[in-house]
Amino acid sequence: QVQLVESGGGTVNPGGSLRLSCAASGFTFNYHDMSWVRRAPGKGPEWVAIINSDGSSTWYADSVKGRFTISRDNARNTLTLQMNSLNPEDTALYYCARAPLDKPLEVVQARNEWDYWGLGTQVTVSA
């Protein structure tokens, strides 16, 4: 069965960095575009970074552009999010999510219609 397991969350001071990882299993990882989606308290889900299946293209939400970097290792079935210059507005539960193969990525992105999600890892940015 499809499994997405996130790790690497924690509490950091403003300006700090964290590196999130997602271990994927149960499907052919290199077939799927992948994303990191976050949900802050009291808010809806917000995708923050997307990477295509072979890692050649990435997209970022304006709120994280220049600070976050998404990458993937298809040999190890791993997705990573490097987060730098963190600020309190980045506090959220971060999910690794998979794009389905039967919908255009722009639709999935706009509607957050990822077909599988992990359980999430908490990131808290606080002084």
Side-chain angles (χ1 to χ4, degrees):
Q1 71 278 22
V2 173
Q3 285 196 317
L4 299 169
V5 180
E6 302 93 339
S7 61
T11 300
V12 296
N13 292 328
S17 298
L18 281 174
R19 186 176 181 87
L20 306 184
S21 294
C22 171
S25 61
F27 66 101
T28 307
F29 185 65
N30 62 8
Y31 280 10
H32 290 264
D33 301 332
M34 298 292 297
S35 71
W36 288 96
V37 181
R38 68 186 181 186
R39 185 190 287 268
K43 296 186 178 180
E46 173 194 20
W47 70 268
V48 295
I50 301 170
I51 189 167
N52 71 342
S53 58
D54 67 4
S56 61
S57 295
T58 56
W59 299 268
Y60 296 93
D62 288 343
S63 57
V64 308
K65 204 171 292 184
R67 301 188 298 121
F68 290 12
T69 303
I70 188 172
S71 60
R72 65 190 297 162
D73 184 339
N74 284 345
R76 292 182 169 83
N77 290 355
T78 300
L79 181 73
T80 301
L81 184 69
Q82 177 66 42
M83 304 187 297
N84 299 328
S85 302
L86 286 161
N87 59 61
E89 291 69 39
D90 296 317
T91 294
L93 191 58
Y94 283 72
Y95 300 91
C96 168
R98 189 185 85 166
L101 296 177
D102 60 352
K103 292 182 182 179
L105 181 60
E106 53 267 29
V107 171
V108 175
Q109 169 190 328
R111 301 176 183 175
N112 277 314
E113 290 184 349
W114 314 97
D115 62 356
Y116 284 92
W117 301 60
L119 296 179
T121 186
Q122 179 67 39
V123 171
T124 302
V125 185
S126 172

